[in-house]
Amino acid sequence: MSKLPDFEGLALFAKVAEERSYAGAARAAGVSVATVSRAVSRLEERLGGRLFNRTSRQLALTEFGLRVVEGAARSYREAEAAEDAARELSSRPRGTVRLAVPMSFGLRWVAPLLPELFRLYPEIAVDLHLSDATVDLVGDGFDAGLRIAAMPDSSLVARRLRPVTPLVVAAPAYIARHGRPAHPDELRAEHCFSYAYRSRQGLWRFTGEGGVEVTVAPGGPLRVTNADALLPSLLAGIGVAELPDFIAAEYLADGRLLALLPGWSLPGGSLSFVTPSAQARPAKVEALAEFFAARLSPR
């Protein structure tokens, strides 16, 4: 015998007692009369006592049944209430969303959007985890994440929002001292800063005209776990760094940084909204997916 209670048997027994009829209970529960009969018989065998006295015209609770029915009916009502609450929760954007986001992108793009999100969805709360390290969404209990990467094959479901372009940049002061490289081979590896969480084993793999490939192994004096930490040394003209376009753009626009090697490109990635599964996603997660897609995708 299973150690779990016979929830179906208790529920159908309570329904029969309420309807005073097997047929009525079957109609109310949306099952066959045979299913109701088997469930009640199974429950009687499990509990060791008869629950109903049956005749061709009448159905009445036994003394044993009278003792059991109140608890069975209460369990039925509580289960109905739990299902109703769950359905409401899944259909309305409400509750806390645990969201994992890369730190620099989260500070620049996600945090400024949150006031609008909270105005649109006053019943949503966000537990925002900012880290450049790749988190285990499933293992660490996250509802969703924003990731900047070429997504590998996995059980995760990714919705691509926008491309992210890596750029190799340096300050005018660096170029004044060391010149402006025209080819990746002219980069001085000992001046190239590195980022701990980048893919491709930390190498810069350039592709030029005609598919020519050149690899540079950064060996400069600075290695960081967050790209923003590169900026002070980069702006001081001490070295060269790879930055994603969403960080580099403002510094390129005002001339504090200059893009190097315009004829060469590094492997790009994309910003994706990632969830453990696309099936039966709660309304709160769907709301975030649509919100970020509308505001972070190119227009």
PDB file of all heavy atoms in Angstrom, residues 55-92:
ATOM      1  N   THR A  55     -28.622   0.840  -1.209  1.00  0.00           N
ATOM      2  CA  THR A  55     -29.759   0.048  -1.668  1.00  0.00           C
ATOM      3  C   THR A  55     -30.059   0.496  -3.099  1.00  0.00           C
ATOM      4  O   THR A  55     -29.405   1.394  -3.623  1.00  0.00           O
ATOM      5  CB  THR A  55     -31.003   0.273  -0.785  1.00  0.00           C
ATOM      6  OG1 THR A  55     -31.468   1.619  -0.959  1.00  0.00           O
ATOM      7  CG2 THR A  55     -30.688   0.028   0.685  1.00  0.00           C
ATOM      8  N   SER A  56     -31.032  -0.102  -3.708  1.00  0.00           N
ATOM      9  CA  SER A  56     -31.352   0.287  -5.085  1.00  0.00           C
ATOM     10  C   SER A  56     -31.900   1.705  -5.155  1.00  0.00           C
ATOM     11  O   SER A  56     -31.855   2.335  -6.207  1.00  0.00           O
ATOM     12  CB  SER A  56     -32.368  -0.696  -5.687  1.00  0.00           C
ATOM     13  OG  SER A  56     -33.544  -0.730  -4.902  1.00  0.00           O
ATOM     14  N   ARG A  57     -32.419   2.221  -4.064  1.00  0.00           N
ATOM     15  CA  ARG A  57     -33.040   3.545  -4.088  1.00  0.00           C
ATOM     16  C   ARG A  57     -32.343   4.565  -3.197  1.00  0.00           C
ATOM     17  O   ARG A  57     -32.598   5.755  -3.295  1.00  0.00           O
ATOM     18  CB  ARG A  57     -34.506   3.449  -3.636  1.00  0.00           C
ATOM     19  CG  ARG A  57     -35.365   2.653  -4.579  1.00  0.00           C
ATOM     20  CD  ARG A  57     -36.803   2.717  -4.121  1.00  0.00           C
ATOM     21  NE  ARG A  57     -37.695   2.026  -5.056  1.00  0.00           N
ATOM     22  CZ  ARG A  57     -39.013   1.970  -4.907  1.00  0.00           C
ATOM     23  NH1 ARG A  57     -39.583   2.570  -3.862  1.00  0.00           N
ATOM     24  NH2 ARG A  57     -39.761   1.320  -5.795  1.00  0.00           N
ATOM     25  N   GLN A  58     -31.491   4.125  -2.316  1.00  0.00           N
ATOM     26  CA  GLN A  58     -30.973   5.045  -1.303  1.00  0.00           C
ATOM     27  C   GLN A  58     -29.483   4.829  -1.077  1.00  0.00           C
ATOM     28  O   GLN A  58     -28.976   3.708  -1.168  1.00  0.00           O
ATOM     29  CB  GLN A  58     -31.745   4.845   0.009  1.00  0.00           C
ATOM     30  CG  GLN A  58     -31.442   5.912   1.043  1.00  0.00           C
ATOM     31  CD  GLN A  58     -32.328   5.729   2.284  1.00  0.00           C
ATOM     32  OE1 GLN A  58     -32.988   4.698   2.437  1.00  0.00           O
ATOM     33  NE2 GLN A  58     -32.346   6.730   3.146  1.00  0.00           N
ATOM     34  N   LEU A  59     -28.815   5.922  -0.787  1.00  0.00           N
ATOM     35  CA  LEU A  59     -27.390   5.897  -0.455  1.00  0.00           C
ATOM     36  C   LEU A  59     -27.211   6.704   0.816  1.00  0.00           C
ATOM     37  O   LEU A  59     -27.594   7.876   0.865  1.00  0.00           O
ATOM     38  CB  LEU A  59     -26.571   6.504  -1.596  1.00  0.00           C
ATOM     39  CG  LEU A  59     -25.052   6.511  -1.429  1.00  0.00           C
ATOM     40  CD1 LEU A  59     -24.502   5.086  -1.573  1.00  0.00           C
ATOM     41  CD2 LEU A  59     -24.401   7.407  -2.477  1.00  0.00           C
ATOM     42  N   ALA A  60     -26.673   6.102   1.849  1.00  0.00           N
ATOM     43  CA  ALA A  60     -26.511   6.802   3.126  1.00  0.00           C
ATOM     44  C   ALA A  60     -25.149   6.478   3.717  1.00  0.00           C
ATOM     45  O   ALA A  60     -24.617   5.377   3.536  1.00  0.00           O
ATOM     46  CB  ALA A  60     -27.620   6.388   4.085  1.00  0.00           C
ATOM     47  N   LEU A  61     -24.603   7.439   4.419  1.00  0.00           N
ATOM     48  CA  LEU A  61     -23.321   7.243   5.085  1.00  0.00           C
ATOM     49  C   LEU A  61     -23.481   6.285   6.247  1.00  0.00           C
ATOM     50  O   LEU A  61     -24.477   6.343   6.993  1.00  0.00           O
ATOM     51  CB  LEU A  61     -22.771   8.573   5.603  1.00  0.00           C
ATOM     52  CG  LEU A  61     -22.225   9.540   4.553  1.00  0.00           C
ATOM     53  CD1 LEU A  61     -22.073  10.937   5.151  1.00  0.00           C
ATOM     54  CD2 LEU A  61     -20.872   9.050   4.028  1.00  0.00           C
ATOM     55  N   THR A  62     -22.531   5.396   6.402  1.00  0.00           N
ATOM     56  CA  THR A  62     -22.487   4.549   7.590  1.00  0.00           C
ATOM     57  C   THR A  62     -21.963   5.394   8.751  1.00  0.00           C
ATOM     58  O   THR A  62     -21.519   6.532   8.576  1.00  0.00           O
ATOM     59  CB  THR A  62     -21.544   3.362   7.368  1.00  0.00           C
ATOM     60  OG1 THR A  62     -20.219   3.873   7.169  1.00  0.00           O
ATOM     61  CG2 THR A  62     -21.973   2.538   6.155  1.00  0.00           C
ATOM     62  N   GLU A  63     -21.985   4.839   9.944  1.00  0.00           N
ATOM     63  CA  GLU A  63     -21.431   5.549  11.102  1.00  0.00           C
ATOM     64  C   GLU A  63     -19.936   5.820  10.877  1.00  0.00           C
ATOM     65  O   GLU A  63     -19.431   6.905  11.190  1.00  0.00           O
ATOM     66  CB  GLU A  63     -21.632   4.710  12.368  1.00  0.00           C
ATOM     67  CG  GLU A  63     -21.139   5.421  13.621  1.00  0.00           C
ATOM     68  CD  GLU A  63     -21.364   4.602  14.886  1.00  0.00           C
ATOM     69  OE1 GLU A  63     -22.073   3.566  14.812  1.00  0.00           O
ATOM     70  OE2 GLU A  63     -20.823   4.992  15.929  1.00  0.00           O
ATOM     71  N   PHE A  64     -19.259   4.826  10.287  1.00  0.00           N
ATOM     72  CA  PHE A  64     -17.839   4.991   9.961  1.00  0.00           C
ATOM     73  C   PHE A  64     -17.665   6.107   8.925  1.00  0.00           C
ATOM     74  O   PHE A  64     -16.783   6.966   9.037  1.00  0.00           O
ATOM     75  CB  PHE A  64     -17.272   3.666   9.438  1.00  0.00           C
ATOM     76  CG  PHE A  64     -15.825   3.734   9.030  1.00  0.00           C
ATOM     77  CD1 PHE A  64     -14.824   3.953   9.968  1.00  0.00           C
ATOM     78  CD2 PHE A  64     -15.468   3.559   7.702  1.00  0.00           C
ATOM     79  CE1 PHE A  64     -13.486   4.010   9.579  1.00  0.00           C
ATOM     80  CE2 PHE A  64     -14.139   3.593   7.311  1.00  0.00           C
ATOM     81  CZ  PHE A  64     -13.142   3.829   8.250  1.00  0.00           C
ATOM     82  N   GLY A  65     -18.555   6.102   7.920  1.00  0.00           N
ATOM     83  CA  GLY A  65     -18.491   7.127   6.892  1.00  0.00           C
ATOM     84  C   GLY A  65     -18.715   8.519   7.442  1.00  0.00           C
ATOM     85  O   GLY A  65     -18.075   9.489   6.996  1.00  0.00           O
ATOM     86  N   LEU A  66     -19.627   8.645   8.413  1.00  0.00           N
ATOM     87  CA  LEU A  66     -19.886   9.946   9.038  1.00  0.00           C
ATOM     88  C   LEU A  66     -18.644  10.488   9.731  1.00  0.00           C
ATOM     89  O   LEU A  66     -18.423  11.699   9.769  1.00  0.00           O
ATOM     90  CB  LEU A  66     -21.038   9.822  10.040  1.00  0.00           C
ATOM     91  CG  LEU A  66     -22.443   9.708   9.433  1.00  0.00           C
ATOM     92  CD1 LEU A  66     -23.450   9.304  10.510  1.00  0.00           C
ATOM     93  CD2 LEU A  66     -22.842  11.045   8.807  1.00  0.00           C
ATOM     94  N   ARG A  67     -17.855   9.590  10.274  1.00  0.00           N
ATOM     95  CA  ARG A  67     -16.634  10.042  10.964  1.00  0.00           C
ATOM     96  C   ARG A  67     -15.553  10.484   9.974  1.00  0.00           C
ATOM     97  O   ARG A  67     -14.738  11.331  10.291  1.00  0.00           O
ATOM     98  CB  ARG A  67     -16.096   8.913  11.850  1.00  0.00           C
ATOM     99  CG  ARG A  67     -17.008   8.574  13.013  1.00  0.00           C
ATOM    100  CD  ARG A  67     -16.340   7.599  13.946  1.00  0.00           C
ATOM    101  NE  ARG A  67     -17.169   7.305  15.106  1.00  0.00           N
ATOM    102  CZ  ARG A  67     -16.766   6.575  16.147  1.00  0.00           C
ATOM    103  NH1 ARG A  67     -15.554   6.025  16.132  1.00  0.00           N
ATOM    104  NH2 ARG A  67     -17.568   6.354  17.165  1.00  0.00           N
ATOM    105  N   VAL A  68     -15.579   9.883   8.811  1.00  0.00           N
ATOM    106  CA  VAL A  68     -14.529  10.174   7.820  1.00  0.00           C
ATOM    107  C   VAL A  68     -14.881  11.363   6.944  1.00  0.00           C
ATOM    108  O   VAL A  68     -14.007  12.103   6.500  1.00  0.00           O
ATOM    109  CB  VAL A  68     -14.284   8.924   6.939  1.00  0.00           C
ATOM    110  CG1 VAL A  68     -13.270   9.222   5.827  1.00  0.00           C
ATOM    111  CG2 VAL A  68     -13.808   7.756   7.784  1.00  0.00           C
ATOM    112  N   VAL A  69     -16.168  11.605   6.691  1.00  0.00           N
ATOM    113  CA  VAL A  69     -16.569  12.536   5.642  1.00  0.00           C
ATOM    114  C   VAL A  69     -16.148  13.979   5.914  1.00  0.00           C
ATOM    115  O   VAL A  69     -15.796  14.718   4.984  1.00  0.00           O
ATOM    116  CB  VAL A  69     -18.094  12.442   5.393  1.00  0.00           C
ATOM    117  CG1 VAL A  69     -18.886  13.044   6.557  1.00  0.00           C
ATOM    118  CG2 VAL A  69     -18.452  13.124   4.077  1.00  0.00           C
ATOM    119  N   GLU A  70     -16.175  14.394   7.170  1.00  0.00           N
ATOM    120  CA  GLU A  70     -15.834  15.793   7.453  1.00  0.00           C
ATOM    121  C   GLU A  70     -14.387  16.102   7.052  1.00  0.00           C
ATOM    122  O   GLU A  70     -14.100  17.104   6.404  1.00  0.00           O
ATOM    123  CB  GLU A  70     -16.040  16.106   8.932  1.00  0.00           C
ATOM    124  CG  GLU A  70     -15.776  17.578   9.247  1.00  0.00           C
ATOM    125  CD  GLU A  70     -16.022  17.918  10.703  1.00  0.00           C
ATOM    126  OE1 GLU A  70     -16.605  17.080  11.427  1.00  0.00           O
ATOM    127  OE2 GLU A  70     -15.614  19.010  11.118  1.00  0.00           O
ATOM    128  N   GLY A  71     -13.468  15.197   7.417  1.00  0.00           N
ATOM    129  CA  GLY A  71     -12.062  15.401   7.038  1.00  0.00           C
ATOM    130  C   GLY A  71     -11.855  15.305   5.537  1.00  0.00           C
ATOM    131  O   GLY A  71     -11.086  16.078   4.954  1.00  0.00           O
ATOM    132  N   ALA A  72     -12.572  14.392   4.883  1.00  0.00           N
ATOM    133  CA  ALA A  72     -12.442  14.250   3.426  1.00  0.00           C
ATOM    134  C   ALA A  72     -12.956  15.496   2.723  1.00  0.00           C
ATOM    135  O   ALA A  72     -12.343  15.984   1.765  1.00  0.00           O
ATOM    136  CB  ALA A  72     -13.203  13.015   2.955  1.00  0.00           C
ATOM    137  N   ALA A  73     -14.094  16.020   3.186  1.00  0.00           N
ATOM    138  CA  ALA A  73     -14.660  17.224   2.573  1.00  0.00           C
ATOM    139  C   ALA A  73     -13.740  18.418   2.779  1.00  0.00           C
ATOM    140  O   ALA A  73     -13.565  19.249   1.883  1.00  0.00           O
ATOM    141  CB  ALA A  73     -16.042  17.500   3.161  1.00  0.00           C
ATOM    142  N   ARG A  74     -13.145  18.515   3.964  1.00  0.00           N
ATOM    143  CA  ARG A  74     -12.217  19.621   4.237  1.00  0.00           C
ATOM    144  C   ARG A  74     -10.997  19.541   3.320  1.00  0.00           C
ATOM    145  O   ARG A  74     -10.559  20.551   2.757  1.00  0.00           O
ATOM    146  CB  ARG A  74     -11.791  19.601   5.708  1.00  0.00           C
ATOM    147  CG  ARG A  74     -10.890  20.766   6.085  1.00  0.00           C
ATOM    148  CD  ARG A  74     -10.692  20.851   7.592  1.00  0.00           C
ATOM    149  NE  ARG A  74     -10.109  19.634   8.134  1.00  0.00           N
ATOM    150  CZ  ARG A  74     -10.777  18.774   8.905  1.00  0.00           C
ATOM    151  NH1 ARG A  74     -12.052  18.992   9.210  1.00  0.00           N
ATOM    152  NH2 ARG A  74     -10.183  17.688   9.374  1.00  0.00           N
ATOM    153  N   SER A  75     -10.460  18.337   3.153  1.00  0.00           N
ATOM    154  CA  SER A  75      -9.308  18.156   2.254  1.00  0.00           C
ATOM    155  C   SER A  75      -9.671  18.536   0.822  1.00  0.00           C
ATOM    156  O   SER A  75      -8.876  19.146   0.103  1.00  0.00           O
ATOM    157  CB  SER A  75      -8.828  16.703   2.305  1.00  0.00           C
ATOM    158  OG  SER A  75      -8.367  16.367   3.592  1.00  0.00           O
ATOM    159  N   TYR A  76     -10.897  18.181   0.413  1.00  0.00           N
ATOM    160  CA  TYR A  76     -11.357  18.504  -0.938  1.00  0.00           C
ATOM    161  C   TYR A  76     -11.428  20.020  -1.127  1.00  0.00           C
ATOM    162  O   TYR A  76     -10.955  20.564  -2.147  1.00  0.00           O
ATOM    163  CB  TYR A  76     -12.718  17.868  -1.161  1.00  0.00           C
ATOM    164  CG  TYR A  76     -13.274  18.040  -2.557  1.00  0.00           C
ATOM    165  CD1 TYR A  76     -12.910  17.177  -3.576  1.00  0.00           C
ATOM    166  CD2 TYR A  76     -14.161  19.072  -2.855  1.00  0.00           C
ATOM    167  CE1 TYR A  76     -13.408  17.331  -4.868  1.00  0.00           C
ATOM    168  CE2 TYR A  76     -14.663  19.233  -4.135  1.00  0.00           C
ATOM    169  CZ  TYR A  76     -14.284  18.357  -5.131  1.00  0.00           C
ATOM    170  OH  TYR A  76     -14.770  18.523  -6.395  1.00  0.00           O
ATOM    171  N   ARG A  77     -12.000  20.716  -0.137  1.00  0.00           N
ATOM    172  CA  ARG A  77     -12.123  22.179  -0.237  1.00  0.00           C
ATOM    173  C   ARG A  77     -10.747  22.842  -0.262  1.00  0.00           C
ATOM    174  O   ARG A  77     -10.511  23.798  -1.005  1.00  0.00           O
ATOM    175  CB  ARG A  77     -12.959  22.721   0.936  1.00  0.00           C
ATOM    176  CG  ARG A  77     -14.435  22.357   0.865  1.00  0.00           C
ATOM    177  CD  ARG A  77     -15.232  23.168   1.873  1.00  0.00           C
ATOM    178  NE  ARG A  77     -14.790  22.916   3.247  1.00  0.00           N
ATOM    179  CZ  ARG A  77     -15.298  21.971   4.030  1.00  0.00           C
ATOM    180  NH1 ARG A  77     -16.257  21.163   3.567  1.00  0.00           N
ATOM    181  NH2 ARG A  77     -14.862  21.812   5.265  1.00  0.00           N
ATOM    182  N   GLU A  78      -9.846  22.339   0.569  1.00  0.00           N
ATOM    183  CA  GLU A  78      -8.503  22.927   0.612  1.00  0.00           C
ATOM    184  C   GLU A  78      -7.756  22.699  -0.700  1.00  0.00           C
ATOM    185  O   GLU A  78      -7.027  23.575  -1.169  1.00  0.00           O
ATOM    186  CB  GLU A  78      -7.719  22.334   1.790  1.00  0.00           C
ATOM    187  CG  GLU A  78      -8.229  22.805   3.147  1.00  0.00           C
ATOM    188  CD  GLU A  78      -7.540  22.104   4.307  1.00  0.00           C
ATOM    189  OE1 GLU A  78      -6.758  21.151   4.036  1.00  0.00           O
ATOM    190  OE2 GLU A  78      -7.783  22.495   5.469  1.00  0.00           O
ATOM    191  N   ALA A  79      -7.941  21.503  -1.286  1.00  0.00           N
ATOM    192  CA  ALA A  79      -7.286  21.230  -2.565  1.00  0.00           C
ATOM    193  C   ALA A  79      -7.858  22.127  -3.664  1.00  0.00           C
ATOM    194  O   ALA A  79      -7.115  22.644  -4.512  1.00  0.00           O
ATOM    195  CB  ALA A  79      -7.470  19.756  -2.941  1.00  0.00           C
ATOM    196  N   GLU A  80      -9.185  22.326  -3.660  1.00  0.00           N
ATOM    197  CA  GLU A  80      -9.799  23.234  -4.636  1.00  0.00           C
ATOM    198  C   GLU A  80      -9.261  24.651  -4.476  1.00  0.00           C
ATOM    199  O   GLU A  80      -8.951  25.330  -5.469  1.00  0.00           O
ATOM    200  CB  GLU A  80     -11.321  23.248  -4.468  1.00  0.00           C
ATOM    201  CG  GLU A  80     -12.048  22.097  -5.131  1.00  0.00           C
ATOM    202  CD  GLU A  80     -13.554  22.325  -5.132  1.00  0.00           C
ATOM    203  OE1 GLU A  80     -14.077  22.788  -4.106  1.00  0.00           O
ATOM    204  OE2 GLU A  80     -14.188  22.048  -6.168  1.00  0.00           O
ATOM    205  N   ALA A  81      -9.155  25.103  -3.220  1.00  0.00           N
ATOM    206  CA  ALA A  81      -8.651  26.456  -2.971  1.00  0.00           C
ATOM    207  C   ALA A  81      -7.208  26.599  -3.434  1.00  0.00           C
ATOM    208  O   ALA A  81      -6.815  27.635  -3.998  1.00  0.00           O
ATOM    209  CB  ALA A  81      -8.768  26.782  -1.481  1.00  0.00           C
ATOM    210  N   ALA A  82      -6.401  25.555  -3.197  1.00  0.00           N
ATOM    211  CA  ALA A  82      -5.000  25.595  -3.626  1.00  0.00           C
ATOM    212  C   ALA A  82      -4.896  25.668  -5.141  1.00  0.00           C
ATOM    213  O   ALA A  82      -4.084  26.428  -5.695  1.00  0.00           O
ATOM    214  CB  ALA A  82      -4.251  24.371  -3.099  1.00  0.00           C
ATOM    215  N   GLU A  83      -5.728  24.890  -5.845  1.00  0.00           N
ATOM    216  CA  GLU A  83      -5.723  24.929  -7.309  1.00  0.00           C
ATOM    217  C   GLU A  83      -6.196  26.275  -7.831  1.00  0.00           C
ATOM    218  O   GLU A  83      -5.634  26.817  -8.791  1.00  0.00           O
ATOM    219  CB  GLU A  83      -6.591  23.806  -7.874  1.00  0.00           C
ATOM    220  CG  GLU A  83      -5.941  22.440  -7.799  1.00  0.00           C
ATOM    221  CD  GLU A  83      -6.647  21.428  -8.690  1.00  0.00           C
ATOM    222  OE1 GLU A  83      -7.727  21.759  -9.242  1.00  0.00           O
ATOM    223  OE2 GLU A  83      -6.107  20.321  -8.844  1.00  0.00           O
ATOM    224  N   ASP A  84      -7.238  26.840  -7.212  1.00  0.00           N
ATOM    225  CA  ASP A  84      -7.739  28.143  -7.648  1.00  0.00           C
ATOM    226  C   ASP A  84      -6.663  29.217  -7.480  1.00  0.00           C
ATOM    227  O   ASP A  84      -6.477  30.073  -8.356  1.00  0.00           O
ATOM    228  CB  ASP A  84      -8.984  28.529  -6.846  1.00  0.00           C
ATOM    229  CG  ASP A  84     -10.205  27.683  -7.225  1.00  0.00           C
ATOM    230  OD1 ASP A  84     -10.168  27.038  -8.292  1.00  0.00           O
ATOM    231  OD2 ASP A  84     -11.166  27.660  -6.439  1.00  0.00           O
ATOM    232  N   ALA A  85      -5.963  29.168  -6.335  1.00  0.00           N
ATOM    233  CA  ALA A  85      -4.903  30.155  -6.083  1.00  0.00           C
ATOM    234  C   ALA A  85      -3.766  29.991  -7.087  1.00  0.00           C
ATOM    235  O   ALA A  85      -3.200  30.974  -7.574  1.00  0.00           O
ATOM    236  CB  ALA A  85      -4.377  30.009  -4.652  1.00  0.00           C
ATOM    237  N   ALA A  86      -3.431  28.738  -7.402  1.00  0.00           N
ATOM    238  CA  ALA A  86      -2.349  28.491  -8.359  1.00  0.00           C
ATOM    239  C   ALA A  86      -2.735  28.964  -9.752  1.00  0.00           C
ATOM    240  O   ALA A  86      -1.912  29.547 -10.469  1.00  0.00           O
ATOM    241  CB  ALA A  86      -2.007  26.999  -8.383  1.00  0.00           C
ATOM    242  N   ARG A  87      -3.987  28.728 -10.145  1.00  0.00           N
ATOM    243  CA  ARG A  87      -4.431  29.191 -11.460  1.00  0.00           C
ATOM    244  C   ARG A  87      -4.404  30.712 -11.553  1.00  0.00           C
ATOM    245  O   ARG A  87      -4.012  31.285 -12.564  1.00  0.00           O
ATOM    246  CB  ARG A  87      -5.843  28.665 -11.759  1.00  0.00           C
ATOM    247  CG  ARG A  87      -5.863  27.248 -12.307  1.00  0.00           C
ATOM    248  CD  ARG A  87      -7.228  26.903 -12.856  1.00  0.00           C
ATOM    249  NE  ARG A  87      -8.213  26.783 -11.791  1.00  0.00           N
ATOM    250  CZ  ARG A  87      -8.492  25.639 -11.176  1.00  0.00           C
ATOM    251  NH1 ARG A  87      -7.859  24.536 -11.509  1.00  0.00           N
ATOM    252  NH2 ARG A  87      -9.401  25.597 -10.228  1.00  0.00           N
ATOM    253  N   GLU A  88      -4.825  31.360 -10.469  1.00  0.00           N
ATOM    254  CA  GLU A  88      -4.802  32.822 -10.466  1.00  0.00           C
ATOM    255  C   GLU A  88      -3.368  33.334 -10.556  1.00  0.00           C
ATOM    256  O   GLU A  88      -3.063  34.285 -11.277  1.00  0.00           O
ATOM    257  CB  GLU A  88      -5.465  33.364  -9.198  1.00  0.00           C
ATOM    258  CG  GLU A  88      -5.522  34.884  -9.160  1.00  0.00           C
ATOM    259  CD  GLU A  88      -6.143  35.422  -7.885  1.00  0.00           C
ATOM    260  OE1 GLU A  88      -6.471  34.616  -6.984  1.00  0.00           O
ATOM    261  OE2 GLU A  88      -6.288  36.635  -7.785  1.00  0.00           O
ATOM    262  N   LEU A  89      -2.468  32.666  -9.821  1.00  0.00           N
ATOM    263  CA  LEU A  89      -1.066  33.076  -9.825  1.00  0.00           C
ATOM    264  C   LEU A  89      -0.453  32.891 -11.209  1.00  0.00           C
ATOM    265  O   LEU A  89       0.356  33.702 -11.656  1.00  0.00           O
ATOM    266  CB  LEU A  89      -0.285  32.254  -8.794  1.00  0.00           C
ATOM    267  CG  LEU A  89       1.160  32.681  -8.516  1.00  0.00           C
ATOM    268  CD1 LEU A  89       1.212  34.077  -7.947  1.00  0.00           C
ATOM    269  CD2 LEU A  89       1.824  31.697  -7.560  1.00  0.00           C
ATOM    270  N   SER A  90      -0.832  31.805 -11.903  1.00  0.00           N
ATOM    271  CA  SER A  90      -0.245  31.543 -13.209  1.00  0.00           C
ATOM    272  C   SER A  90      -0.833  32.423 -14.303  1.00  0.00           C
ATOM    273  O   SER A  90      -0.244  32.579 -15.364  1.00  0.00           O
ATOM    274  CB  SER A  90      -0.432  30.064 -13.582  1.00  0.00           C
ATOM    275  OG  SER A  90      -1.799  29.778 -13.782  1.00  0.00           O
ATOM    276  N   SER A  91      -2.004  33.000 -14.068  1.00  0.00           N
ATOM    277  CA  SER A  91      -2.654  33.802 -15.105  1.00  0.00           C
ATOM    278  C   SER A  91      -2.456  35.300 -14.897  1.00  0.00           C
ATOM    279  O   SER A  91      -2.666  36.082 -15.823  1.00  0.00           O
ATOM    280  CB  SER A  91      -4.153  33.488 -15.156  1.00  0.00           C
ATOM    281  OG  SER A  91      -4.780  33.835 -13.936  1.00  0.00           O
ATOM    282  N   ARG A  92      -2.056  35.724 -13.709  1.00  0.00           N
ATOM    283  CA  ARG A  92      -1.829  37.147 -13.434  1.00  0.00           C
ATOM    284  C   ARG A  92      -0.358  37.368 -13.139  1.00  0.00           C
ATOM    285  O   ARG A  92       0.266  36.595 -12.416  1.00  0.00           O
ATOM    286  CB  ARG A  92      -2.651  37.595 -12.214  1.00  0.00           C
ATOM    287  CG  ARG A  92      -4.136  37.620 -12.423  1.00  0.00           C
ATOM    288  CD  ARG A  92      -4.847  37.952 -11.123  1.00  0.00           C
ATOM    289  NE  ARG A  92      -4.351  39.176 -10.516  1.00  0.00           N
ATOM    290  CZ  ARG A  92      -4.622  39.540  -9.262  1.00  0.00           C
ATOM    291  NH1 ARG A  92      -5.345  38.755  -8.495  1.00  0.00           N
ATOM    292  NH2 ARG A  92      -4.162  40.666  -8.789  1.00  0.00           N
TER     293      ARG A  92
END
